[in-house]
PDB file of all heavy atoms in Angstrom:
ATOM      1  N   GLY A   1      -3.738  11.743 -23.392  1.00  0.00           N
ATOM      2  CA  GLY A   1      -4.172  13.094 -23.727  1.00  0.00           C
ATOM      3  C   GLY A   1      -5.502  13.405 -23.075  1.00  0.00           C
ATOM      4  O   GLY A   1      -6.293  12.510 -22.773  1.00  0.00           O
ATOM      5  N   GLY A   2      -5.736  14.671 -22.843  1.00  0.00           N
ATOM      6  CA  GLY A   2      -7.009  15.107 -22.286  1.00  0.00           C
ATOM      7  C   GLY A   2      -8.135  14.879 -23.274  1.00  0.00           C
ATOM      8  O   GLY A   2      -7.919  14.856 -24.483  1.00  0.00           O
ATOM      9  N   VAL A   3      -9.342  14.734 -22.782  1.00  0.00           N
ATOM     10  CA  VAL A   3     -10.491  14.478 -23.647  1.00  0.00           C
ATOM     11  C   VAL A   3     -10.785  15.700 -24.506  1.00  0.00           C
ATOM     12  O   VAL A   3     -10.945  15.604 -25.717  1.00  0.00           O
ATOM     13  CB  VAL A   3     -11.734  14.107 -22.794  1.00  0.00           C
ATOM     14  CG1 VAL A   3     -12.968  13.984 -23.664  1.00  0.00           C
ATOM     15  CG2 VAL A   3     -11.480  12.819 -22.043  1.00  0.00           C
ATOM     16  N   ARG A   4     -10.839  16.884 -23.890  1.00  0.00           N
ATOM     17  CA  ARG A   4     -11.145  18.106 -24.637  1.00  0.00           C
ATOM     18  C   ARG A   4      -9.901  18.811 -25.156  1.00  0.00           C
ATOM     19  O   ARG A   4      -9.933  19.456 -26.175  1.00  0.00           O
ATOM     20  CB  ARG A   4     -11.931  19.063 -23.749  1.00  0.00           C
ATOM     21  CG  ARG A   4     -13.309  18.566 -23.443  1.00  0.00           C
ATOM     22  CD  ARG A   4     -14.120  19.649 -22.806  1.00  0.00           C
ATOM     23  NE  ARG A   4     -15.466  19.154 -22.583  1.00  0.00           N
ATOM     24  CZ  ARG A   4     -16.219  19.509 -21.594  1.00  0.00           C
ATOM     25  NH1 ARG A   4     -15.794  20.378 -20.715  1.00  0.00           N
ATOM     26  NH2 ARG A   4     -17.427  19.015 -21.459  1.00  0.00           N
ATOM     27  N   ASP A   5      -8.836  18.743 -24.389  1.00  0.00           N
ATOM     28  CA  ASP A   5      -7.613  19.473 -24.732  1.00  0.00           C
ATOM     29  C   ASP A   5      -6.466  18.471 -24.832  1.00  0.00           C
ATOM     30  O   ASP A   5      -5.923  18.056 -23.822  1.00  0.00           O
ATOM     31  CB  ASP A   5      -7.332  20.534 -23.656  1.00  0.00           C
ATOM     32  CG  ASP A   5      -6.099  21.362 -23.966  1.00  0.00           C
ATOM     33  OD1 ASP A   5      -5.414  21.082 -24.973  1.00  0.00           O
ATOM     34  OD2 ASP A   5      -5.811  22.289 -23.190  1.00  0.00           O
ATOM     35  N   ARG A   6      -6.120  18.085 -26.043  1.00  0.00           N
ATOM     36  CA  ARG A   6      -5.082  17.078 -26.245  1.00  0.00           C
ATOM     37  C   ARG A   6      -3.712  17.555 -25.777  1.00  0.00           C
ATOM     38  O   ARG A   6      -2.799  16.772 -25.631  1.00  0.00           O
ATOM     39  CB  ARG A   6      -5.011  16.682 -27.728  1.00  0.00           C
ATOM     40  CG  ARG A   6      -6.231  15.942 -28.192  1.00  0.00           C
ATOM     41  CD  ARG A   6      -6.203  14.545 -27.648  1.00  0.00           C
ATOM     42  NE  ARG A   6      -7.399  13.828 -28.093  1.00  0.00           N
ATOM     43  CZ  ARG A   6      -7.846  12.762 -27.500  1.00  0.00           C
ATOM     44  NH1 ARG A   6      -7.242  12.273 -26.451  1.00  0.00           N
ATOM     45  NH2 ARG A   6      -8.916  12.167 -27.932  1.00  0.00           N
ATOM     46  N   ARG A   7      -3.573  18.870 -25.535  1.00  0.00           N
ATOM     47  CA  ARG A   7      -2.289  19.383 -25.042  1.00  0.00           C
ATOM     48  C   ARG A   7      -2.116  19.098 -23.555  1.00  0.00           C
ATOM     49  O   ARG A   7      -1.014  19.106 -23.047  1.00  0.00           O
ATOM     50  CB  ARG A   7      -2.174  20.888 -25.283  1.00  0.00           C
ATOM     51  CG  ARG A   7      -2.140  21.230 -26.771  1.00  0.00           C
ATOM     52  CD  ARG A   7      -2.263  22.697 -26.965  1.00  0.00           C
ATOM     53  NE  ARG A   7      -3.588  23.113 -26.493  1.00  0.00           N
ATOM     54  CZ  ARG A   7      -3.989  24.361 -26.344  1.00  0.00           C
ATOM     55  NH1 ARG A   7      -3.193  25.340 -26.616  1.00  0.00           N
ATOM     56  NH2 ARG A   7      -5.198  24.633 -25.918  1.00  0.00           N
ATOM     57  N   ARG A   8      -3.208  18.888 -22.871  1.00  0.00           N
ATOM     58  CA  ARG A   8      -3.147  18.616 -21.438  1.00  0.00           C
ATOM     59  C   ARG A   8      -2.931  17.128 -21.226  1.00  0.00           C
ATOM     60  O   ARG A   8      -3.701  16.292 -21.686  1.00  0.00           O
ATOM     61  CB  ARG A   8      -4.436  19.037 -20.748  1.00  0.00           C
ATOM     62  CG  ARG A   8      -4.437  18.641 -19.273  1.00  0.00           C
ATOM     63  CD  ARG A   8      -5.508  19.302 -18.526  1.00  0.00           C
ATOM     64  NE  ARG A   8      -5.020  20.642 -18.224  1.00  0.00           N
ATOM     65  CZ  ARG A   8      -5.760  21.613 -17.766  1.00  0.00           C
ATOM     66  NH1 ARG A   8      -7.027  21.426 -17.561  1.00  0.00           N
ATOM     67  NH2 ARG A   8      -5.252  22.788 -17.508  1.00  0.00           N
ATOM     68  N   THR A   9      -1.870  16.787 -20.517  1.00  0.00           N
ATOM     69  CA  THR A   9      -1.547  15.391 -20.269  1.00  0.00           C
ATOM     70  C   THR A   9      -2.204  14.936 -18.983  1.00  0.00           C
ATOM     71  O   THR A   9      -2.121  15.606 -17.953  1.00  0.00           O
ATOM     72  CB  THR A   9      -0.021  15.215 -20.154  1.00  0.00           C
ATOM     73  OG1 THR A   9       0.568  15.660 -21.371  1.00  0.00           O
ATOM     74  CG2 THR A   9       0.339  13.764 -19.932  1.00  0.00           C
ATOM     75  N   LEU A  10      -2.845  13.805 -19.060  1.00  0.00           N
ATOM     76  CA  LEU A  10      -3.453  13.187 -17.886  1.00  0.00           C
ATOM     77  C   LEU A  10      -2.661  11.940 -17.521  1.00  0.00           C
ATOM     78  O   LEU A  10      -2.081  11.281 -18.384  1.00  0.00           O
ATOM     79  CB  LEU A  10      -4.906  12.802 -18.170  1.00  0.00           C
ATOM     80  CG  LEU A  10      -5.856  13.949 -18.522  1.00  0.00           C
ATOM     81  CD1 LEU A  10      -7.216  13.394 -18.914  1.00  0.00           C
ATOM     82  CD2 LEU A  10      -5.978  14.919 -17.371  1.00  0.00           C
ATOM     83  N   VAL A  11      -2.671  11.622 -16.255  1.00  0.00           N
ATOM     84  CA  VAL A  11      -2.043  10.401 -15.756  1.00  0.00           C
ATOM     85  C   VAL A  11      -3.167   9.403 -15.520  1.00  0.00           C
ATOM     86  O   VAL A  11      -4.171   9.732 -14.876  1.00  0.00           O
ATOM     87  CB  VAL A  11      -1.271  10.674 -14.445  1.00  0.00           C
ATOM     88  CG1 VAL A  11      -0.617   9.401 -13.935  1.00  0.00           C
ATOM     89  CG2 VAL A  11      -0.243  11.776 -14.649  1.00  0.00           C
ATOM     90  N   ALA A  12      -3.003   8.212 -16.048  1.00  0.00           N
ATOM     91  CA  ALA A  12      -4.036   7.180 -15.920  1.00  0.00           C
ATOM     92  C   ALA A  12      -3.451   5.914 -15.310  1.00  0.00           C
ATOM     93  O   ALA A  12      -2.265   5.614 -15.473  1.00  0.00           O
ATOM     94  CB  ALA A  12      -4.634   6.870 -17.295  1.00  0.00           C
ATOM     95  N   LEU A  13      -4.286   5.191 -14.644  1.00  0.00           N
ATOM     96  CA  LEU A  13      -3.929   3.912 -14.044  1.00  0.00           C
ATOM     97  C   LEU A  13      -3.872   2.847 -15.144  1.00  0.00           C
ATOM     98  O   LEU A  13      -4.749   2.798 -16.012  1.00  0.00           O
ATOM     99  CB  LEU A  13      -5.010   3.556 -13.023  1.00  0.00           C
ATOM    100  CG  LEU A  13      -4.743   2.552 -11.939  1.00  0.00           C
ATOM    101  CD1 LEU A  13      -3.527   2.955 -11.113  1.00  0.00           C
ATOM    102  CD2 LEU A  13      -5.955   2.459 -11.030  1.00  0.00           C
ATOM    103  N   THR A  14      -2.867   2.006 -15.124  1.00  0.00           N
ATOM    104  CA  THR A  14      -2.766   0.895 -16.072  1.00  0.00           C
ATOM    105  C   THR A  14      -3.273  -0.378 -15.380  1.00  0.00           C
ATOM    106  O   THR A  14      -3.574  -0.361 -14.174  1.00  0.00           O
ATOM    107  CB  THR A  14      -1.305   0.673 -16.493  1.00  0.00           C
ATOM    108  OG1 THR A  14      -0.564   0.307 -15.324  1.00  0.00           O
ATOM    109  CG2 THR A  14      -0.709   1.911 -17.150  1.00  0.00           C
ATOM    110  N   GLU A  15      -3.319  -1.457 -16.122  1.00  0.00           N
ATOM    111  CA  GLU A  15      -3.715  -2.738 -15.505  1.00  0.00           C
ATOM    112  C   GLU A  15      -2.720  -3.127 -14.410  1.00  0.00           C
ATOM    113  O   GLU A  15      -3.114  -3.613 -13.349  1.00  0.00           O
ATOM    114  CB  GLU A  15      -3.827  -3.831 -16.557  1.00  0.00           C
ATOM    115  CG  GLU A  15      -5.070  -3.728 -17.413  1.00  0.00           C
ATOM    116  CD  GLU A  15      -6.358  -3.675 -16.593  1.00  0.00           C
ATOM    117  OE1 GLU A  15      -6.524  -4.470 -15.640  1.00  0.00           O
ATOM    118  OE2 GLU A  15      -7.206  -2.806 -16.891  1.00  0.00           O
ATOM    119  N   ALA A  16      -1.428  -2.922 -14.660  1.00  0.00           N
ATOM    120  CA  ALA A  16      -0.424  -3.223 -13.636  1.00  0.00           C
ATOM    121  C   ALA A  16      -0.612  -2.315 -12.421  1.00  0.00           C
ATOM    122  O   ALA A  16      -0.436  -2.743 -11.279  1.00  0.00           O
ATOM    123  CB  ALA A  16       0.988  -3.059 -14.200  1.00  0.00           C
ATOM    124  N   GLY A  17      -0.980  -1.078 -12.666  1.00  0.00           N
ATOM    125  CA  GLY A  17      -1.257  -0.158 -11.566  1.00  0.00           C
ATOM    126  C   GLY A  17      -2.461  -0.593 -10.758  1.00  0.00           C
ATOM    127  O   GLY A  17      -2.465  -0.532  -9.525  1.00  0.00           O
ATOM    128  N   ARG A  18      -3.496  -1.062 -11.468  1.00  0.00           N
ATOM    129  CA  ARG A  18      -4.691  -1.575 -10.766  1.00  0.00           C
ATOM    130  C   ARG A  18      -4.336  -2.800  -9.915  1.00  0.00           C
ATOM    131  O   ARG A  18      -4.811  -2.949  -8.795  1.00  0.00           O
ATOM    132  CB  ARG A  18      -5.768  -1.968 -11.777  1.00  0.00           C
ATOM    133  CG  ARG A  18      -6.751  -0.884 -12.069  1.00  0.00           C
ATOM    134  CD  ARG A  18      -7.895  -1.391 -12.952  1.00  0.00           C
ATOM    135  NE  ARG A  18      -7.825  -0.907 -14.315  1.00  0.00           N
ATOM    136  CZ  ARG A  18      -7.913   0.356 -14.670  1.00  0.00           C
ATOM    137  NH1 ARG A  18      -8.050   1.279 -13.765  1.00  0.00           N
ATOM    138  NH2 ARG A  18      -7.846   0.719 -15.937  1.00  0.00           N
ATOM    139  N   ALA A  19      -3.482  -3.646 -10.459  1.00  0.00           N
ATOM    140  CA  ALA A  19      -3.075  -4.849  -9.724  1.00  0.00           C
ATOM    141  C   ALA A  19      -2.268  -4.468  -8.479  1.00  0.00           C
ATOM    142  O   ALA A  19      -2.501  -5.012  -7.395  1.00  0.00           O
ATOM    143  CB  ALA A  19      -2.262  -5.778 -10.620  1.00  0.00           C
ATOM    144  N   ALA A  20      -1.339  -3.523  -8.624  1.00  0.00           N
ATOM    145  CA  ALA A  20      -0.538  -3.080  -7.476  1.00  0.00           C
ATOM    146  C   ALA A  20      -1.431  -2.421  -6.434  1.00  0.00           C
ATOM    147  O   ALA A  20      -1.267  -2.641  -5.228  1.00  0.00           O
ATOM    148  CB  ALA A  20       0.551  -2.112  -7.938  1.00  0.00           C
ATOM    149  N   PHE A  21      -2.390  -1.625  -6.900  1.00  0.00           N
ATOM    150  CA  PHE A  21      -3.348  -1.002  -5.988  1.00  0.00           C
ATOM    151  C   PHE A  21      -4.145  -2.084  -5.259  1.00  0.00           C
ATOM    152  O   PHE A  21      -4.363  -1.991  -4.050  1.00  0.00           O
ATOM    153  CB  PHE A  21      -4.283  -0.068  -6.762  1.00  0.00           C
ATOM    154  CG  PHE A  21      -5.377   0.507  -5.914  1.00  0.00           C
ATOM    155  CD1 PHE A  21      -5.124   1.550  -5.042  1.00  0.00           C
ATOM    156  CD2 PHE A  21      -6.657  -0.018  -5.970  1.00  0.00           C
ATOM    157  CE1 PHE A  21      -6.133   2.073  -4.250  1.00  0.00           C
ATOM    158  CE2 PHE A  21      -7.673   0.495  -5.186  1.00  0.00           C
ATOM    159  CZ  PHE A  21      -7.410   1.540  -4.319  1.00  0.00           C
ATOM    160  N   GLY A  22      -4.558  -3.105  -5.990  1.00  0.00           N
ATOM    161  CA  GLY A  22      -5.333  -4.187  -5.396  1.00  0.00           C
ATOM    162  C   GLY A  22      -4.588  -4.934  -4.298  1.00  0.00           C
ATOM    163  O   GLY A  22      -5.190  -5.400  -3.331  1.00  0.00           O
ATOM    164  N   VAL A  23      -3.273  -5.043  -4.441  1.00  0.00           N
ATOM    165  CA  VAL A  23      -2.459  -5.703  -3.406  1.00  0.00           C
ATOM    166  C   VAL A  23      -2.398  -4.845  -2.142  1.00  0.00           C
ATOM    167  O   VAL A  23      -2.528  -5.336  -1.028  1.00  0.00           O
ATOM    168  CB  VAL A  23      -1.032  -5.984  -3.938  1.00  0.00           C
ATOM    169  CG1 VAL A  23      -0.100  -6.420  -2.816  1.00  0.00           C
ATOM    170  CG2 VAL A  23      -1.083  -7.036  -5.039  1.00  0.00           C
ATOM    171  N   ALA A  24      -2.197  -3.546  -2.313  1.00  0.00           N
ATOM    172  CA  ALA A  24      -2.009  -2.652  -1.169  1.00  0.00           C
ATOM    173  C   ALA A  24      -3.320  -2.193  -0.536  1.00  0.00           C
ATOM    174  O   ALA A  24      -3.359  -1.888   0.660  1.00  0.00           O
ATOM    175  CB  ALA A  24      -1.197  -1.429  -1.601  1.00  0.00           C
ATOM    176  N   ALA A  25      -4.385  -2.129  -1.316  1.00  0.00           N
ATOM    177  CA  ALA A  25      -5.644  -1.555  -0.833  1.00  0.00           C
ATOM    178  C   ALA A  25      -6.190  -2.213   0.441  1.00  0.00           C
ATOM    179  O   ALA A  25      -6.604  -1.500   1.358  1.00  0.00           O
ATOM    180  CB  ALA A  25      -6.693  -1.569  -1.944  1.00  0.00           C
ATOM    181  N   PRO A  26      -6.214  -3.551   0.548  1.00  0.00           N
ATOM    182  CA  PRO A  26      -6.794  -4.144   1.759  1.00  0.00           C
ATOM    183  C   PRO A  26      -6.061  -3.747   3.047  1.00  0.00           C
ATOM    184  O   PRO A  26      -6.699  -3.446   4.065  1.00  0.00           O
ATOM    185  CB  PRO A  26      -6.699  -5.651   1.507  1.00  0.00           C
ATOM    186  CG  PRO A  26      -6.655  -5.793   0.027  1.00  0.00           C
ATOM    187  CD  PRO A  26      -5.897  -4.577  -0.453  1.00  0.00           C
ATOM    188  N   VAL A  27      -4.749  -3.725   3.019  1.00  0.00           N
ATOM    189  CA  VAL A  27      -3.999  -3.381   4.229  1.00  0.00           C
ATOM    190  C   VAL A  27      -4.169  -1.902   4.571  1.00  0.00           C
ATOM    191  O   VAL A  27      -4.282  -1.531   5.747  1.00  0.00           O
ATOM    192  CB  VAL A  27      -2.516  -3.791   4.114  1.00  0.00           C
ATOM    193  CG1 VAL A  27      -1.745  -2.907   3.155  1.00  0.00           C
ATOM    194  CG2 VAL A  27      -1.845  -3.768   5.473  1.00  0.00           C
ATOM    195  N   MET A  28      -4.250  -1.053   3.551  1.00  0.00           N
ATOM    196  CA  MET A  28      -4.429   0.372   3.816  1.00  0.00           C
ATOM    197  C   MET A  28      -5.870   0.666   4.255  1.00  0.00           C
ATOM    198  O   MET A  28      -6.108   1.558   5.059  1.00  0.00           O
ATOM    199  CB  MET A  28      -4.035   1.195   2.587  1.00  0.00           C
ATOM    200  CG  MET A  28      -2.546   1.059   2.240  1.00  0.00           C
ATOM    201  SD  MET A  28      -1.423   1.445   3.617  1.00  0.00           S
ATOM    202  CE  MET A  28      -1.366   3.229   3.448  1.00  0.00           C
ATOM    203  N   ARG A  29      -6.821  -0.114   3.753  1.00  0.00           N
ATOM    204  CA  ARG A  29      -8.206   0.022   4.209  1.00  0.00           C
ATOM    205  C   ARG A  29      -8.305  -0.401   5.670  1.00  0.00           C
ATOM    206  O   ARG A  29      -8.984   0.252   6.469  1.00  0.00           O
ATOM    207  CB  ARG A  29      -9.151  -0.832   3.351  1.00  0.00           C
ATOM    208  CG  ARG A  29     -10.619  -0.642   3.703  1.00  0.00           C
ATOM    209  CD  ARG A  29     -11.573  -1.441   2.808  1.00  0.00           C
ATOM    210  NE  ARG A  29     -11.307  -1.256   1.392  1.00  0.00           N
ATOM    211  CZ  ARG A  29     -10.748  -2.174   0.590  1.00  0.00           C
ATOM    212  NH1 ARG A  29     -10.405  -3.359   1.056  1.00  0.00           N
ATOM    213  NH2 ARG A  29     -10.539  -1.924  -0.686  1.00  0.00           N
ATOM    214  N   ALA A  30      -7.609  -1.468   6.033  1.00  0.00           N
ATOM    215  CA  ALA A  30      -7.603  -1.922   7.431  1.00  0.00           C
ATOM    216  C   ALA A  30      -7.011  -0.843   8.337  1.00  0.00           C
ATOM    217  O   ALA A  30      -7.471  -0.645   9.462  1.00  0.00           O
ATOM    218  CB  ALA A  30      -6.829  -3.231   7.567  1.00  0.00           C
ATOM    219  N   ARG A  31      -6.013  -0.136   7.844  1.00  0.00           N
ATOM    220  CA  ARG A  31      -5.416   0.965   8.605  1.00  0.00           C
ATOM    221  C   ARG A  31      -6.457   2.058   8.872  1.00  0.00           C
ATOM    222  O   ARG A  31      -6.587   2.549   9.991  1.00  0.00           O
ATOM    223  CB  ARG A  31      -4.232   1.515   7.805  1.00  0.00           C
ATOM    224  CG  ARG A  31      -3.534   2.687   8.446  1.00  0.00           C
ATOM    225  CD  ARG A  31      -2.445   3.201   7.521  1.00  0.00           C
ATOM    226  NE  ARG A  31      -1.568   4.112   8.201  1.00  0.00           N
ATOM    227  CZ  ARG A  31      -1.148   5.261   7.704  1.00  0.00           C
ATOM    228  NH1 ARG A  31      -1.512   5.640   6.501  1.00  0.00           N
ATOM    229  NH2 ARG A  31      -0.344   6.033   8.376  1.00  0.00           N
ATOM    230  N   ARG A  32      -7.199   2.436   7.825  1.00  0.00           N
ATOM    231  CA  ARG A  32      -8.242   3.460   8.002  1.00  0.00           C
ATOM    232  C   ARG A  32      -9.364   2.951   8.904  1.00  0.00           C
ATOM    233  O   ARG A  32      -9.886   3.701   9.730  1.00  0.00           O
ATOM    234  CB  ARG A  32      -8.794   3.890   6.637  1.00  0.00           C
ATOM    235  CG  ARG A  32      -7.786   4.657   5.800  1.00  0.00           C
ATOM    236  CD  ARG A  32      -8.396   5.243   4.537  1.00  0.00           C
ATOM    237  NE  ARG A  32      -9.091   4.299   3.685  1.00  0.00           N
ATOM    238  CZ  ARG A  32      -8.516   3.494   2.801  1.00  0.00           C
ATOM    239  NH1 ARG A  32      -7.200   3.502   2.649  1.00  0.00           N
ATOM    240  NH2 ARG A  32      -9.237   2.686   2.054  1.00  0.00           N
ATOM    241  N   ASP A  33      -9.718   1.682   8.764  1.00  0.00           N
ATOM    242  CA  ASP A  33     -10.759   1.103   9.617  1.00  0.00           C
ATOM    243  C   ASP A  33     -10.341   1.109  11.091  1.00  0.00           C
ATOM    244  O   ASP A  33     -11.165   1.356  11.972  1.00  0.00           O
ATOM    245  CB  ASP A  33     -11.098  -0.325   9.178  1.00  0.00           C
ATOM    246  CG  ASP A  33     -11.841  -0.371   7.843  1.00  0.00           C
ATOM    247  OD1 ASP A  33     -12.333   0.690   7.385  1.00  0.00           O
ATOM    248  OD2 ASP A  33     -11.909  -1.470   7.255  1.00  0.00           O
ATOM    249  N   ALA A  34      -9.072   0.825  11.357  1.00  0.00           N
ATOM    250  CA  ALA A  34      -8.571   0.843  12.741  1.00  0.00           C
ATOM    251  C   ALA A  34      -8.669   2.246  13.327  1.00  0.00           C
ATOM    252  O   ALA A  34      -9.017   2.413  14.503  1.00  0.00           O
ATOM    253  CB  ALA A  34      -7.125   0.333  12.789  1.00  0.00           C
ATOM    254  N   LEU A  35      -8.385   3.247  12.523  1.00  0.00           N
ATOM    255  CA  LEU A  35      -8.502   4.627  12.999  1.00  0.00           C
ATOM    256  C   LEU A  35      -9.963   4.962  13.282  1.00  0.00           C
ATOM    257  O   LEU A  35     -10.281   5.575  14.307  1.00  0.00           O
ATOM    258  CB  LEU A  35      -7.920   5.599  11.966  1.00  0.00           C
ATOM    259  CG  LEU A  35      -7.833   7.049  12.408  1.00  0.00           C
ATOM    260  CD1 LEU A  35      -6.835   7.211  13.544  1.00  0.00           C
ATOM    261  CD2 LEU A  35      -7.456   7.935  11.238  1.00  0.00           C
ATOM    262  N   ARG A  36     -10.858   4.526  12.385  1.00  0.00           N
ATOM    263  CA  ARG A  36     -12.293   4.762  12.603  1.00  0.00           C
ATOM    264  C   ARG A  36     -12.779   4.074  13.876  1.00  0.00           C
ATOM    265  O   ARG A  36     -13.640   4.596  14.576  1.00  0.00           O
ATOM    266  CB  ARG A  36     -13.104   4.263  11.410  1.00  0.00           C
ATOM    267  CG  ARG A  36     -13.122   5.213  10.257  1.00  0.00           C
ATOM    268  CD  ARG A  36     -14.135   4.775   9.189  1.00  0.00           C
ATOM    269  NE  ARG A  36     -13.728   5.264   7.900  1.00  0.00           N
ATOM    270  CZ  ARG A  36     -12.969   4.604   7.026  1.00  0.00           C
ATOM    271  NH1 ARG A  36     -12.561   3.386   7.285  1.00  0.00           N
ATOM    272  NH2 ARG A  36     -12.638   5.140   5.878  1.00  0.00           N
ATOM    273  N   ALA A  37     -12.219   2.905  14.174  1.00  0.00           N
ATOM    274  CA  ALA A  37     -12.628   2.180  15.376  1.00  0.00           C
ATOM    275  C   ALA A  37     -12.097   2.838  16.652  1.00  0.00           C
ATOM    276  O   ALA A  37     -12.710   2.727  17.713  1.00  0.00           O
ATOM    277  CB  ALA A  37     -12.150   0.731  15.310  1.00  0.00           C
ATOM    278  N   ALA A  38     -10.973   3.519  16.543  1.00  0.00           N
ATOM    279  CA  ALA A  38     -10.347   4.131  17.717  1.00  0.00           C
ATOM    280  C   ALA A  38     -10.988   5.463  18.098  1.00  0.00           C
ATOM    281  O   ALA A  38     -10.865   5.895  19.248  1.00  0.00           O
ATOM    282  CB  ALA A  38      -8.857   4.326  17.471  1.00  0.00           C
TER     283      ALA A  38
END
């Protein structure tokens, strides 16, 4: 629920979501770094 408006639904990251993000983040960061280098 939203902090001020409980009718507004928010999407939040879970621990499993953080873990999945952590797996993908390094390779996607390397992709952005390669573009910055080019």
Side-chain angles (χ1 to χ4, degrees):
V3 174
R4 291 191 177 147
D5 182 356
R6 292 286 180 200
R7 295 170 295 171
R8 175 167 279 168
T9 301
L10 299 174
V11 180
L13 199 56
T14 63
E15 285 306 315
R18 267 187 253 297
F21 174 77
V23 169
V27 72
M28 296 306 276
R29 185 177 310 107
R31 178 184 193 225
R32 292 188 306 278
D33 290 346
L35 187 66
R36 280 190 207 92

